[in-house]
Amino acid sequence: MEDVPDPTDFPPNDIAPGLRELDEALRCTICGDLFSGPLSVACGHCFCSLCIRTQLNVKAECPLCRKSTTEFHLRKVQSIEDAVQAWKIARPYILQLSRDEVQRRLQFAEARAALQDVSTRSPKKRRRNPSLNDDDEVIEIIKPTSKMNGQRSGLSPADSSGSSTPQSVSCPVCQKQVPMAKINQHLDDGCKSPTPIEFEVGSSTTNNKGKQKQDWQKLFGAAESSTGSKGKGKAKSNSKSKLEPSATPIPKVAYHTLKEKRLREMLSDHDLPTTGDKDTLIRRHERWVLVYNANLDRNPRDRETLEELIRKLKKWEDTRGGKKIGVGDVKAYEKANKVVFAGLIEAARPKKPPPKPQQDDPEHDNIEQQRITEATDDPSEIQVPISSSPGSSVPPVTEDEQTGMPVDG
Amino acid sequence: MAVSTRRLQKELTEITTAGTPCGITLLKADDFQTWFLTLEVLGESLYQGEVFALMFRFDSQYPISSPAVQFVNDETYQPPIHPHVYSNGHICASILGSEWSPVLSVIAVCITLQSMLASCKDKTRPPDNDRYVAHAPDNPKKTRFVYHDDEV
Ligand SMILES: [Zn+2]
Ligand SMILES: [Zn+2]
Ligand SMILES: [Zn+2]
C-alpha cells in the first residue's frame, strides 16, 4: 500500500502542538492533498483548482459551508500557494524533528528512571525494584527503543574527562555536564537549566542527540532571526518557470449548441483524440478545459506539461470518467483509444502549446482579466469566459441513468 | 493512484490512527471499492441494543460523486425499521443524494445516519416500502428519492 501523507503523520498535540492542524489547514477538504493551485470561492473557503472547478460543474455552492458560489467568484490565493510551497519543503524535515522529539522524550523518561537508580545508590544495578514506584511502566515501554539507539550512557558520575568537577554529572539526555545537585531540576526543565555548558562534540554517543538539538535550534533560530539565511527560498523563485502550456485559459463552451463536427475540430485544435460519440467528445473537451485551466492556476514552476495533461486526461477516461455507466463495449473503446492517445502523447512532446495568441510575458498575474479579453476568437461558436456570470454556463454533467422513481422518504 | 483511492486511503488512516466515534466501527475495508461499518445508537433510543451494518460503495469519482450507501440485509445484519429506511437497506437521506458534498466522509455519513436513528420517534417502514422494494435498482444511487423532510 502506497504511503499517502496525512496530518496524522505528525505526533499528537501534546507532543507536537499545532502540527497536525497546520498540515490539515494546508490541505484541500475535497481531495485531502496539499492545495494544488488554490482558489477561494465566494465565502472565502479554499480548494484545489481542479477539485473546486470539477465540483462547481456539479453544484454551484461551497462544498464546506454550502454558500452559493460560481466560477465567477473563483480567485487565486497566492499566499496559500506560497505557504504550501514552503510547507512541502519543510514537511519532511519537521516530520523527522518531531519524530526525534518523541524519541527524546522516551529517553528522557528513561533517564529520569536511571537517575532514581543513582539516588538510591545502586548505580550498577539497572533493574529496579518493581514495587518501588509507579514509573516502572514507563521503563518497560522504553526498553525496546533503548536497544534501537544502541548502547546508552545512562546517568553516570562524570569520570576521567578532566574538565568536570566531581560534583557534576553528564546528563543522559543532552550530555551536558550538570551539577549533581541540579540534575533533577535540569531534567524537569527539559534540559534548559542550568545553562550553558557546551555540547560534548567528541563523544560518539552524543553525535546523534547533539545534531537533533542543533536542528531544533536551527528551526527556532530561523524563526526568530528572520535575516540572512533565507537564501534557499529566494533562489527558488528565480528558477526557470515552466511556460508550457501557454498561460492562456481555454474559454468554456456551451456544448449543446455545437455540431459534432465542430466538437471534433475543437478537440483537434488541442491535439486531442476525436474518436467516440458526441457525448464522449463533450466529456473529453469539458474535462480538458478543467484540467488545462486548473494547470494554469498553479505557479508556473509547478505546472505540468501538455504531455502530462494528456496522459491525465487519458487516465481519467480510462477510469470511466469519460463515459456513462453501462456503455457497452468499454474494453473495445479503451483499446481503440489507447493507441490514439499513445500517439498524441508522443506528438505533444516537442510541440508548442495550443494555437492561441502567444504572449511573451510569463507572469500573467491577472488571469481574470485575460479570460475575459480572450474569450472569443471564433464568432461562430458561443463561448463563455471562465469568469462567466451566474447562469450562463455549460449544461450540467449528464447524470447516470436513474430510475426516476419518485419515492416518499 | 486515483484521486478516490488517495482520498479513501487518508480516511482509512484517520480511522485507524484516531479511531471512530462511539457506536461506529470499521468492519471491513479490504479495498477502495466497498467498505462495511457497523452502527449502533448509544444512549436511549428506539434502537437500543440493535447493531446495524452499512455498506459503502465508491466509484472512481469519489468524493465528487457520493458513495452508494445502504444498510446491510443478510443473515447477520438487518436494516433498522425507520421511516426513511427501506426493507432492502436503501436509505432516503438527502445527504446521500442532492445534499452530498465532497468534503463529507464515510465517518461523517455514519454520524448523520446515527443521529437520524437516534432522533426517530416512530419505528415504521416507509409507507411505499413494498412498492419501492419490488422495483428497486441494485444501486440506491440510481433512485431519485424525494426527500420529504429535512430532519435527516
Ligand atoms: Zn483538492
Ligand atoms: Zn464556504
Ligand atoms: Zn540535559
Side-chain angles (χ1 to χ4, degrees):
Chain A
M1 185 112 309
E2 192 173 330
D3 181 45
V4 178
D6 177 87
T8 57
D9 294 342
F10 293 99
N13 259 339
D14 53 341
I15 294 172
L19 281 185
R20 283 187 178 183
E21 280 83 352
L22 176 62
D23 197 53
E24 183 104 52
L26 294 175
R27 285 174 188 278
C28 167
T29 43
I30 295 177
C31 65
D33 281 326
L34 294 173
F35 288 117
S36 171
L39 297 181
S40 65
V41 291
C43 54
H45 283 126
C46 197
F47 307 90
C48 300
S49 176
L50 184 57
C51 290
I52 190 60
R53 286 178 186 279
T54 307
Q55 174 60 15
L56 287 182
N57 272 1
V58 178
K59 212 173 190 191
E61 65 176 32
C62 169
L64 267 172
C65 67
R66 299 194 186 278
K67 196 174 173 231
S68 74
T69 190
T70 67
E71 293 199 24
F72 178 72
H73 299 107
L74 293 179
R75 293 288 181 277
K76 193 171 165 67
V77 192
Q78 187 61 55
S79 307
I80 289 291
E81 186 162 42
D82 294 345
V84 167
Q85 189 61 34
W87 183 234
K88 277 183 181 164
I89 295 164
R91 194 179 188 277
Y93 174 68
I94 292 182
L95 201 54
Q96 186 56 50
L97 291 184
S98 63
R99 282 171 181 166
D100 290 348
E101 171 67 4
V102 172
Q103 278 300 308
R104 198 191 66 83
R105 288 188 184 220
L106 289 171
Q107 289 163 10
F108 175 80
E110 189 180 5
R112 188 179 290 279
L115 176 69
Q116 275 161 5
D117 270 358
V118 170
S119 61
T120 53
R121 299 204 49 94
S122 53
K124 287 262 158 89
K125 215 167 95 187
R126 291 278 109 175
R127 210 146 299 259
R128 314 196 46 228
N129 181 350
S131 64
L132 207 57
N133 66 50
D134 46 13
D135 281 349
D136 283 330
E137 292 205 355
V138 176
I139 300 172
E140 282 310 309
I141 291 167
I142 59 189
K143 279 222 162 98
T145 44
S146 66
K147 268 182 213 128
M148 268 165 46
N149 285 347
Q151 122 256 37
R152 309 212 14 77
S153 57
L155 182 68
S156 52
D159 40 40
S160 48
S161 59
S163 62
S164 52
T165 66
Q167 283 84 14
S168 75
V169 291
S170 165
C171 169
V173 174
C174 71
Q175 313 292 321
K176 275 184 224 168
Q177 291 297 317
V178 179
M180 187 68 142
K182 293 273 177 81
I183 185 66
N184 254 318
Q185 190 200 336
H186 171 83
L187 285 169
D188 285 338
D189 287 351
C191 295
K192 286 191 191 93
S193 71
T195 32
I197 309 175
E198 294 309 307
F199 295 120
E200 289 177 26
V201 192
S203 158
S204 63
T205 56
T206 61
N207 275 347
N208 190 31
K209 274 171 241 107
K211 190 166 178 296
Q212 264 175 46
K213 197 90 185 174
Q214 283 163 3
D215 284 345
W216 276 107
Q217 282 174 341
K218 260 185 248 162
L219 180 69
F220 296 131
E224 281 157 18
S225 67
S226 59
T227 43
S229 61
K230 288 172 85 179
K232 208 170 182 187
K234 282 279 183 290
K236 255 274 136 87
S237 56
N238 291 338
S239 67
K240 190 88 175 73
S241 47
K242 218 187 248 177
L243 275 181
E244 187 190 4
S246 76
T248 314
I250 307 172
K252 277 190 108 171
V253 181
Y255 294 103
H256 59 282
T257 67
L258 289 182
K259 289 268 180 330
E260 202 168 314
K261 182 165 173 287
R262 179 66 193 133
L263 264 168
R264 292 213 157 86
E265 285 166 17
M266 287 162 60
L267 284 165
S268 77
D269 280 351
H270 293 283
D271 298 328
L272 299 173
T274 54
T275 49
D277 59 12
K278 188 175 180 191
D279 186 61
T280 306
L281 299 177
I282 290 175
R283 281 162 186 264
R284 183 179 299 146
H285 191 268
E286 190 177 51
R287 183 66 184 179
W288 178 250
V289 172
L290 281 174
V291 170
Y292 186 92
N293 290 350
N295 193 40
L296 294 185
D297 288 325
R298 299 194 180 102
N299 274 338
R301 64 164 177 265
D302 296 335
R303 280 182 201 157
E304 293 175 296
T305 61
L306 281 179
E307 184 191 343
E308 287 163 335
L309 292 185
I310 293 177
R311 214 184 285 281
K312 274 193 167 175
L313 180 68
K314 181 199 179 321
K315 211 174 159 201
W316 180 79
E317 287 201 6
D318 286 350
T319 57
R320 112 117 191 93
K323 294 174 288 293
K324 283 184 175 181
I325 285 179
V327 167
D329 50 348
V330 172
K331 280 277 156 344
Y333 171 87
E334 281 178 354
K335 217 172 170 183
N337 276 276
K338 197 164 281 171
V339 183
V340 179
F341 265 111
L344 290 166
I345 289 170
E346 190 56 42
R349 234 167 252 169
K351 268 214 210 134
K352 274 284 184 183
K356 284 277 167 188
Q358 193 81 354
Q359 285 180 323
D360 288 324
D361 177 12
E363 300 293 331
H364 287 306
D365 284 330
N366 199 338
I367 289 172
E368 294 302 325
Q369 227 163 42
Q370 239 197 303
R371 281 174 186 156
I372 292 160
T373 55
E374 301 199 359
T376 49
D377 38 67
D378 181 352
S380 75
E381 64 192 55
I382 301 164
Q383 291 185 324
V384 183
I386 296 296
S387 322
S388 63
S389 56
S392 65
S393 61
V394 200
V397 178
T398 330
E399 280 183 36
D400 301 331
E401 48 180 336
Q402 295 181 310
T403 63
M405 175 188 265
V407 170
D408 293 335
Chain B
M1 202 187 329
V3 172
S4 61
T5 306
R6 282 184 77 84
R7 166 67 192 260
L8 285 166
Q9 172 74 64
K10 282 168 209 286
E11 289 191 41
L12 196 56
T13 307
E14 170 86 31
I15 287 171
T16 50
T17 57
T20 49
C22 285
I24 298 165
T25 58
L26 186 66
L27 207 57
K28 190 164 177 278
D30 296 342
D31 55 36
F32 296 113
Q33 269 95 54
T34 312
W35 288 9
F36 292 90
L37 292 95
T38 62
L39 185 67
E40 56 190 309
V41 185
L42 302 171
E44 237 169 77
S45 81
L46 298 177
Y47 303 95
Q48 214 140 12
E50 297 184 62
V51 180
F52 311 105
L54 284 163
M55 175 169 75
F56 284 73
R57 284 181 284 176
F58 311 98
D59 62 38
S60 64
Q61 308 307 303
Y62 179 82
I64 296 291
S65 91
S66 63
V69 185
Q70 66 190 88
F71 282 102
V72 173
N73 185 23
D74 62 13
E75 304 82 50
T76 318
Y77 298 102
Q78 284 81 47
I81 296 174
H82 184 282
H84 297 169
V85 180
Y86 293 91
S87 55
N88 65 351
H90 287 196
I91 307 161
C92 175
S94 58
I95 192 186
L96 300 176
S98 60
E99 291 305 304
W100 168 256
S101 163
V103 303
L104 294 171
S105 62
V106 170
I107 293 300
V109 168
C110 289
I111 292 171
T112 306
L113 295 177
Q114 193 181 38
S115 73
M116 176 185 92
L117 296 183
S119 62
C120 179
K121 303 211 167 54
D122 183 21
K123 213 170 164 181
T124 58
R125 290 274 184 230
D128 62 334
N129 185 69
D130 294 347
R131 187 165 60 87
Y132 174 72
V133 171
H135 304 284
D138 166 62
N139 188 332
K141 281 187 75 179
K142 296 197 172 185
T143 302
R144 191 180 288 117
F145 289 106
V146 176
Y147 313 108
H148 276 282
D149 60 60
D150 286 342
E151 305 214 333
V152 178

